Structure formats: C-alpha cells, structure tokens
Amino acid sequence: MFENLSERLSGVFDRLTKQGALSEEDVKTALREVRVALLEADVALPVVRKFVKDVEGKATGQAVTKSVTPGQQVVKIVHDELVEMLRGEGDPGELKIDSPPAPILMVGLQGSGKTTTTAKIAKRLTERDGKKVLMASLDVNRPAAMEQLQILGTQVGVDTLPIVKGETPVQIAKRAKTQASLGGYDVYFLDTAGRLHIDQELIAQAADVRDVVQPRETLLVVDGLTGQVAVEVAEEFDDKIGVSGVALTRMDGDGRGGAALSMRAVTGKPIRFVGTGEKVDALEEFDPERIAGRILGMGDIVALVEKAQETLEAEQAERMLKRLQKGQFNMNDLKSQLEQMLKMGGMEGLMGMMPGMGKMKGQMAEAGMDDTVLKRQIALINSMTKKERANPQILQASRKKRIAAGAGLEVSELNKLIKQHRQMSDMMKKLGKKGGRGALKQALGMMGGGKGGAPGAGMDEKALQQAAQQMGGLGGKGGMQLPSGLSGFGRKK
C-alpha cells in the first residue's frame, strides 16, 4: 500500500544524501516534495502541515547543516517524525486481557473485514499467547454471518458460541459472558453487526452491548482502502461508543496509505493491527517504527526475522545444522531453503523487508526474476531420484537430460542449479571449518530458541545488503546465487 509513497520519498532523499553540504533552501525544496507526496498519498491536510513544519524546524538547524552527513541527518529526522505521527501520545501496549474472561468488542461498518479480523486476532492470541478464546457473532441481520464466524473458528481452532436463532444481540452477549466465565476462557470476542453507513440503530445496538459486557477493549475495524473516510468513521464511532484501538484491513491493497498515516494523528486512537491479506494468518501488529522504516525504504528486518521464525521448525534447523557441520549439503537441503523462501513471502516479500532493497523490486520484475525461478528450481530437484538428490556429483549428461525433461525445462537451467548448489555447499563447508557451530547458526538463522538476542544476530545492515545483492543474481547469466541466511537472520528480538 505504501509503495508509491515510498518511491516518491526515496527519490527525494536520494538527491539529498548525494549532496555534500545542504543549505536551508535545499531542505525546503525537498520538504515541498515530501508535502506533495504525502498529500497524494491521501494524508489529511492538517497532519501534513504539522509534519512538514516539525521536520523543517529540526532540519534547518545548525546540528544538521554542520553534520558530516547532512542528507542522512534529514532522513533520520523525517523517520523520527513519521514514527511520532504514527505512534501519537503514549504507547498503547498489549491488549488489555489481564482479568479473565476479558471481553473484546469488535465494531465497524459492513464489509470492512470485521468477522475475518476477529478470527485472525483470536488465532494470534491462541497460538502466540496461549490464551483460551471464545468468539460470538452478534450479527443477527446479515444472513450467514454467524455461520461465517463458526467456519472461521473451525479453521483457526478457536471455540465459537453455539448459534441460537431468534436471540437479540444483547441476549447473545449475555450468553457469551456466561459461557466465557463457566468455560474458563481468558478472552471472548463479540463480533457486532455492521451497516453500510453509520446510523442510529447501529450505534444504539453496539452501545447496548457495551453497557452489558463492559469491554476491556473496543476495537474498530476499518477498511484501509477507504482513505480519509476511514478517519471520519473512527471519529464517529469513538464519539458515540468509545474506541480503544483500530485494526486497519486490506493494507496489502493498492490504496494510498493515507488513512493509516492520518488515523493516529486525527483520532488519537492507536492502530493495533493491520490486515495484510485474506488468509487467517495475514495479520501484523502495527509497529510505528517498522512501518516508518518500510515507507522510507529502510526495510523491516524484525518482520523478516519473525516470518522466518514462524516458518522454520527448530528441529528441522537443528538437523540441518548437524549435517552442515559435517560438510554435508545436498539437493534436499537446497530444496528446503528454496521452499523456506517461498513460505516467507517469496523474493518480492523478502526484498521489501531488506534495508535498501525496496528499489530493486522494479529492476527484478523487469529482469523476469520472480518466484517462478524458485518454483522451477524446486521442480528440477523434485525430478531427481533420491540417490541423485543425496549425491549431486553423480549427475552426468544422460541423467541431466532426463531430469530436465521431467521438469519440462532446459538442461542449461539444471546446470545453473548444480552450479548454485556447489557454491552454497562450498560456502557451508568453509563456515563449518572457520566459525564452527556459531557461524553456521548465524548463516542458517536458527530461530528455535525464542526470545534471546537481537534481530540480525550480528548481521549488520551492510552484510544484509550484500546478501540481498547476491540474490540479484537470480536467474541471471551467472546462475542463481542465494545468500547463506535464507532461513532468517538470527534470533527474534
């Protein structure tokens, strides 16, 4: 969603950082472009004015003009102000679910993704925080709304309140409260009905439910694609019902992202979650620093690490680590690394999270480097026998022809894959000899251990950029050169 804004801003800052010294005029010219970029991204005018004024006040001081790298200093100031704009006053912290059973009221307009978001958050609380969660649909108007929540509950492994026809929303809320207390639940979600627009009946219904259950959190779900209307909806709901946080959906769409940037500044309500897709696991906690980093093309290593942690099984990584220490790296190992990349969002997803790599996405698309390259390589490995995968050295001309034909590809592509495997195998052997287990752990990105250490585990930005540049060789003339740390970069923060 932030791609256009990100491209505009990175162009402005590229010009700034290339200049040795900056005058006040240079900064003002750059900020004029920043103002236009933000307005085009549908950010509210008062928010843009305040943002540009605050940046200008800090960026034209002596500390910047006399700095060794004034351009980078300005980028840092813009980043900090962007974080400030997204965060607002005070950190909202975790969801308030400390006194079980904690009721969470979900409100919003029809079609904003309320029911799906309810299931996504419930799944997150169940899997990440080990909470026992109950979901109840209070939407008695929309046909099959209750069944939809029931189906989602089955999908994500979360209990739903049994459906009793003919009950009012308040009666359902009371029954949910009773069942949550008797069933030993930590949290129960109340998914209220929506309307196409805000009307008295909608507000009255949600207010009645609020009075009955006294929710610990009232989360407003708004469609990120609706732009400034989303901000108006948030203000209206907060005024009539009281909202403690916002969940923005469809942040994977092609909207302009202005709603997210304006929401906190205009309403004063924190954005808690962002929906990044249709699937039940496509939900992220809203972190102002990480979002600001993505907008300014600084990448999001923490998200990359978290994705790796979610997709990499500790036991599988430990097994691979033992094999690599003995200098063993066969085609099965390479296949699991390629599959790992696809699970983590493919090449485009990984590039978007790596510092400074956002700009390469366009070049990659032009060069035809996308996830099909990975899928073709996996197809080649699948076309090999068990013996060939375990021992690629035995691949001679006749075997190569058979494998390539089996995958429907050319022998030249198989040769690139073999060359790439050889390069990675040599690299793993060197790591095993030089730094032993520690160096290999860093290369593999062993995620199983939980919460110690810092993201990147010692891999600085330069190392990550080099790794990403190596990825630039994908599908090119020199074959596909993957970086060593495909399974993630160090431990989660």
Side-chain angles (χ1 to χ4, degrees), residues 318-329 333 425 428-433 436-437 440:
E318 192 65 49
R319 277 199 306 273
M320 192 186 255
L321 185 66
K322 283 175 183 166
R323 287 176 40 71
L324 295 179
Q325 278 183 295
K326 296 174 189 169
Q328 297 168 340
F329 183 80
D333 299 320
S425 182
M428 294 300 182
K429 278 176 192 168
K430 279 179 196 167
L431 276 174
K433 283 175 192 170
R437 192 177 175 89
L440 269 173

Side-chain angles (χ1 to χ4, degrees), residues 53-71:
K53 189 181 173 188
D54 290 348
V55 172
E56 194 170 342
K58 291 175 185 175
T60 50
Q62 278 201 325
V64 170
T65 48
K66 297 211 170 155
S67 163
V68 183
T69 55

Side-chain angles (χ1 to χ4, degrees), residues 374-385:
L374 305 181
K375 288 171 185 168
R376 283 155 77 155
Q377 298 216 321
I378 291 169
L380 283 166
I381 297 172
N382 285 340
S383 188
M384 296 175 190
T385 64

Side-chain angles (χ1 to χ4, degrees), residues 242-435:
V243 170
S244 63
V246 177
L248 279 174
T249 59
R250 301 198 198 168
M251 293 301 280
D252 56 323
D254 55 1
R256 292 175 291 178
L261 295 175
S262 309
M263 186 68 71
R264 183 67 167 118
V266 175
T267 65
K269 299 298 162 190
I271 300 169
R272 297 292 202 149
F273 299 99
V274 286
T276 55
E278 292 292 321
K279 292 182 181 173
V280 285
D281 55 356
L283 183 82
E284 287 181 18
E285 270 186 29
F286 185 83
D287 186 315
E289 291 205 9
R290 285 157 56 178
I291 296 288
R294 281 195 210 176
I295 292 171
L296 296 181
M298 295 173 182
D300 187 352
I301 289 299
V302 182
L304 188 59
V305 169
E306 282 180 353
K307 278 207 168 178
Q309 190 164 24
E310 283 166 18
T311 57
L312 182 71
E313 289 179 20
E315 287 175 21
Q316 176 199 339
E318 192 65 49
R319 277 199 306 273
M320 192 186 255
L321 185 66
K322 283 175 183 166
R323 287 176 40 71
L324 295 179
Q325 278 183 295
K326 296 174 189 169
Q328 297 168 340
F329 183 80
N330 62 27
M331 285 292 182
N332 289 319
D333 299 320
L334 178 57
K335 182 188 168 190
S336 72
Q337 292 277 296
L338 294 170
E339 286 172 342
Q340 175 76 9
M341 271 187 85
L342 285 175
K343 278 185 197 167
M344 287 170 64
M347 288 176 61
E348 193 174 323
L350 288 170
M351 280 291 186
M353 291 181 197
M354 284 183 170
M357 291 296 116
K359 298 172 199 166
M360 285 180 65
K361 283 204 271 190
Q363 296 164 17
M364 283 170 58
E366 282 172 29
M369 293 186 282
D370 55 24
D371 293 350
T372 53
V373 178
L374 305 181
K375 288 171 185 168
R376 283 155 77 155
Q377 298 216 321
I378 291 169
L380 283 166
I381 297 172
N382 285 340
S383 188
M384 296 175 190
T385 64
K386 283 185 181 177
K387 191 177 174 184
E388 287 164 347
R389 281 187 224 176
N391 187 12
Q393 288 80 5
I394 65 172
L395 294 176
Q396 299 307 325
S398 59
R399 286 178 187 262
K400 285 181 182 178
K401 276 184 188 171
R402 190 204 79 245
I403 291 164
L409 297 167
E410 298 294 323
V411 174
S412 59
E413 291 197 56
L414 177 59
N415 286 335
K416 282 180 190 175
L417 178 72
I418 294 167
K419 183 183 174 186
Q420 170 204 328
H421 168 264
R422 199 164 51 242
Q423 287 171 341
M424 287 185 76
S425 182
D426 292 346
M427 186 166 57
M428 294 300 182
K429 278 176 192 168
K430 279 179 196 167
L431 276 174
K433 283 175 192 170
K434 278 183 189 172

